[in-house]
Amino acid sequence: MSSEFDTGSAVTAREGEPGAYDGELGEGWRIGGGINGGLLLAVAGRALSQEFAAEGDRPGHPDPLAISAYYLTPGEPGPATVRTSVVRRGRAVSTGQASLYQDKDGEPVERFRVLATYGDLAAVDGDVTTTAVPPQLPPPEDCLAAAQAPPSFLKHASLLERLDLRLDPATTGWAMGRPSGNGVIRGWLRMADGREPDPLLLLLAVDALPPVAFELGLPGWTPTLELTAHVRARPAPGWLRVSLTNRTLTGGFMEEDAEVWDSEGRLVALSRQLARASAPQR
Amino acid sequence: MSSEFDTGSAVTAREGEPGAYDGELGEGWRIGGGINGGLLLAVAGRALSQEFAAEGDRPGHPDPLAISAYYLTPGEPGPATVRTSVVRRGRAVSTGQASLYQDKDGEPVERFRVLATYGDLAAVDGDVTTTAVPPQLPPPEDCLAAAQAPPSFLKHASLLERLDLRLDPATTGWAMGRPSGNGVIRGWLRMADGREPDPLLLLLAVDALPPVAFELGLPGWTPTLELTAHVRARPAPGWLRVSLTNRTLTGGFMEEDAEVWDSEGRLVALSRQLARASAPQR
């Protein structure tokens, strides 16, 4: 049986139309005003992964090494078409482009566009030099489960039913109406149905936590303009640790940096997004 | 008289061919195996800035807020064509795409492709909340000028003649054959001809210092696969401070994060790139 994530991000190559993939954005991936941006990224990421699959003598480049999404209009539950194009096929890496469209009043509306470079993380894994330190978190059982979030929040967040998300209570002041202002949210993440992480799932993971803006006292919607993720290694099975940080708000824009660590303590993905932030409520 | 940067990044809209811009990559912007990636970004960035200029009642979106470049083949001195397309024009921001081509044996070869969201930083400046701290540097006169770099390095780096670059001696062990391994290079930056910084110049600034890989003991070429820059504010005139950091090398790939601070102590640009890194020499 297919996992919720694999079903939710599935795409099928359209017969006789190269580069066209059909998918379905599920009701179960809603957050705030639309479909979660990480799930959208995984849908386009999966289409590109299929585009760069091994063929004949040509080695496959199935894994996103770097992927940049520019979000245009909110994704909605319903059918979606991903159109990919190959920018360059190389020996070690390949670069592609993809757009996701949904029909609105009979016209295709572009939801977001992606540029990405793909490779084979199985071929590059191993050698790691790092000064990065994984986030220190209380054990999952001492963290705040998403199910404990305010009902007003859960109502617009069917995404949270797909996730087993445990937030460090030191970073959930916002849930009690007392945001710390620290610009940090961190927690444990795995899929509720036990689906183990892989490079495509990391595209969801970098955008799956509540926006770090909440902990800055900005409870409104913070739409992502751009998100770039780097996948650095294939994650080991088990819990992921995710940390979000923000340092600077300028004139209504903020960055949100995400790090994803696997159960073996490796930094497996990095992302940064530029989001719009509404002014703090007083 | 036009500055070196304005001449080096100039593009001219081609008559009767919407979205096509002609430019010339100058010999004076060479570094290592090709034209500096930051200068290339500024060339494409300028074409998009012209594409999103004010027209009639439509307000202009002249400034890159987020720009992601995927590098395909090294740029070489000589003529170049930028082809832009508008992805979406919005009220507050607009998104576009651009590719830079150079002819090789009579065929256009794509050097890199860009997605970007533009806006008007003059309209959003002002309100800043930050926990970021500018890099602490000795005064410029106590730093290492690029002219003091090893001649073997300068020979392939005509870019350095365009810059007044003063590196913190605490981060230049690599220049003496004793890299610290710390993964940090920082310094002062301004243009040698006195051209003051603006948002387009910041696209050069994020990729103008020696690669942070040098200070990790990786003296080889570290070609950029992807670079995303966020421009957060219009910089004040005067010296810029730039810091580069790396934390993690995995299987031949590394990230390089850049921060650019202006003379008034504001964080004006952030970037991250994914680069290939060859194994350390022993």
Side-chain angles (χ1 to χ4, degrees):
Chain A
M1 222 185 69
S2 184
S3 74
E4 290 185 329
F5 174 72
D6 291 305
T7 304
S9 60
V11 292
T12 309
R14 200 179 284 177
E15 280 290 333
E17 206 177 326
Y21 295 83
D22 290 304
E24 175 84 21
L25 305 182
E27 278 283 353
W29 301 93
R30 266 182 186 281
I31 189 86
I35 299 290
N36 170 259
L39 190 274
L40 294 174
L41 195 59
V43 172
R46 190 181 290 277
L48 284 167
S49 182
Q50 294 187 18
E51 197 66 42
F52 291 129
E55 201 178 304
D57 285 350
R58 203 175 61 204
H61 294 153
D63 302 316
L65 304 179
I67 183 165
S68 302
Y70 281 71
Y71 294 94
L72 306 166
T73 54
E76 293 171 7
T81 303
V82 181
R83 294 187 181 276
T84 65
S85 58
V86 174
V87 178
R88 179 172 178 270
R89 282 190 202 274
R91 194 181 46 80
V93 300
S94 292
T95 299
Q97 179 171 330
S99 288
L100 185 143
Y101 299 89
Q102 292 190 293
D103 275 354
K104 189 140 191 167
D105 306 325
E107 293 292 324
V109 176
E110 188 171 357
R111 298 307 191 196
F112 63 101
R113 191 174 293 198
V114 156
L115 280 175
T117 288
Y118 275 60
D120 185 355
L121 286 171
V124 301
D125 256 359
D127 207 22
V128 175
T129 317
T130 189
T131 57
V133 181
Q136 297 305 306
L137 291 168
E141 58 274 19
D142 295 340
C143 287
L144 211 67
Q148 298 169 256
S152 62
F153 182 74
L154 286 177
K155 194 171 61 179
H156 303 290
S158 61
L159 164 72
L160 294 180
E161 300 163 18
R162 315 274 84 70
L163 310 175
D164 187 356
L165 180 59
R166 315 283 183 94
L167 298 176
D168 182 344
T171 67
T172 56
W174 57 273
M176 289 47 140
R178 291 189 300 276
S180 69
N182 286 340
V184 177
I185 291 183
R186 55 180 177 251
W188 301 90
L189 175 69
R190 60 182 179 189
M191 300 307 289
D193 66 1
R195 201 272 195 194
E196 293 293 356
D198 66 3
L200 280 180
L201 186 86
L202 297 180
L203 302 184
L204 170 67
V206 298
D207 200 34
L209 268 59
V212 71
F214 286 2
E215 194 61 356
L216 291 170
L218 305 172
W221 195 37
T222 48
T224 305
L225 297 177
E226 178 268 339
L227 186 154
T228 295
H230 294 173
V231 180
R232 302 295 295 274
R234 295 190 169 204
W239 283 106
L240 299 170
R241 278 168 288 178
V242 183
S243 76
L244 303 183
T245 52
N246 162 270
R247 296 189 303 154
T248 300
L249 273 90
T250 42
F253 297 96
M254 59 180 293
E255 89 284 359
E256 178 181 285
D257 287 6
E259 291 180 5
V260 185
W261 298 75
D262 75 2
S263 62
E264 294 179 358
R266 289 186 311 167
L267 180 56
V268 290
L270 289 169
S271 77
R272 175 174 290 158
Q273 62 174 272
L274 185 69
R276 282 201 223 186
S278 42
Q281 292 188 340
R282 295 177 195 277
Chain B
M1 222 185 68
S2 184
S3 74
E4 290 185 329
F5 174 73
D6 291 306
T7 304
S9 61
V11 291
T12 309
R14 201 180 285 176
E15 279 291 333
E17 206 177 325
Y21 294 83
D22 291 302
E24 174 86 22
L25 305 182
E27 278 284 353
W29 301 93
R30 267 183 187 281
I31 189 86
I35 298 290
N36 170 260
L39 191 273
L40 294 175
L41 195 59
V43 171
R46 189 181 291 277
L48 283 167
S49 182
Q50 294 187 19
E51 197 65 42
F52 291 129
E55 201 178 303
D57 284 350
R58 202 173 63 205
H61 293 154
D63 302 317
L65 303 180
I67 184 165
S68 300
Y70 281 71
Y71 293 94
L72 306 165
T73 54
E76 294 172 6
T81 303
V82 181
R83 294 187 182 276
T84 66
S85 58
V86 174
V87 178
R88 178 173 178 271
R89 283 188 201 274
R91 193 181 46 81
V93 299
S94 291
T95 298
Q97 178 171 328
S99 288
L100 186 143
Y101 299 90
Q102 292 191 292
D103 276 353
K104 189 138 190 168
D105 306 325
E107 292 293 323
V109 176
E110 189 171 358
R111 299 306 192 196
F112 64 102
R113 193 175 291 198
V114 156
L115 280 176
T117 288
Y118 275 60
D120 184 355
L121 286 171
V124 300
D125 256 358
D127 208 22
V128 174
T129 317
T130 189
T131 58
V133 181
Q136 297 304 307
L137 292 168
E141 57 273 20
D142 295 339
C143 287
L144 212 66
Q148 299 169 256
S152 62
F153 182 74
L154 287 177
K155 193 170 62 179
H156 303 288
S158 61
L159 165 72
L160 295 181
E161 300 163 19
R162 314 274 84 69
L163 310 176
D164 186 355
L165 179 59
R166 314 285 182 92
L167 298 177
D168 182 344
T171 68
T172 56
W174 57 273
M176 289 47 139
R178 291 188 301 275
S180 69
N182 285 340
V184 177
I185 292 183
R186 55 180 177 254
W188 301 90
L189 175 68
R190 61 183 180 187
M191 300 308 289
D193 66 3
R195 202 272 196 194
E196 294 292 356
D198 66 4
L200 281 179
L201 186 87
L202 296 180
L203 301 184
L204 169 67
V206 297
D207 200 34
L209 268 59
V212 71
F214 285 3
E215 194 62 356
L216 291 170
L218 305 172
W221 195 36
T222 48
T224 305
L225 297 177
E226 177 269 338
L227 186 154
T228 296
H230 294 173
V231 179
R232 302 294 297 274
R234 297 190 168 201
W239 282 106
L240 299 171
R241 278 169 288 178
V242 183
S243 77
L244 303 183
T245 52
N246 162 270
R247 294 189 303 155
T248 300
L249 272 90
T250 42
F253 296 96
M254 60 182 291
E255 89 284 358
E256 178 181 286
D257 288 5
E259 291 180 6
V260 185
W261 298 75
D262 75 1
S263 62
E264 293 178 359
R266 289 187 309 168
L267 180 55
V268 291
L270 290 169
S271 77
R272 176 174 290 159
Q273 62 174 272
L274 186 69
R276 282 202 224 186
S278 41
Q281 292 188 341
R282 294 176 197 276

